Amino acid sequence: EGVARTAQETTQEKILALLKAKPTITRKELTAQIGISPDGVNLAKIKSARNIRHVGPAKGRYWEVLK
C-alpha cells in the first residue's frame, strides 16, 4: 500500500506541475507526457485533494492550480 500510494502521489505531483506549466493541457497530452493510461489521470480526485479548478467556458477552458 505504501509503495502504491507513493507512486500515486508522484503521478499527481507530475500532473500538477504540467497543469502549472501549461494550464490548457488536455488529458491526452497529460497521459503522453507522463506515460500512463488515460484512466491513470484522475483529475477529479486531484481537483478535490489539491484545489485545482477548471476555469472558463466549455471551449477554451484552462486549469488553475490554487495551491
Side-chain angles (χ1 to χ4, degrees):
E1 180 179 326
V3 173
R5 183 175 172 92
T6 302
Q8 182 180 27
E9 289 173 0
T10 301
T11 299
Q12 288 182 3
E13 289 169 4
K14 289 178 184 176
I15 292 170
L16 282 172
L18 289 168
L19 291 175
K20 283 181 185 178
K22 184 179 178 191
T24 58
I25 197 166
T26 65
R27 180 183 301 266
K28 186 175 180 179
E29 291 171 323
L30 283 171
T31 60
Q33 290 201 20
I34 297 172
I36 59 175
S37 72
D39 293 336
V41 177
N42 188 344
L43 295 175
K45 184 175 182 177
I46 297 170
K47 186 176 177 180
S48 66
R50 301 288 188 155
N51 291 324
I52 61 173
R53 67 179 179 162
H54 226 181
V55 180
K59 286 198 171 198
R61 282 186 170 185
Y62 63 93
W63 288 102
E64 180 178 15
V65 180
L66 303 172
K67 276 189 177 179

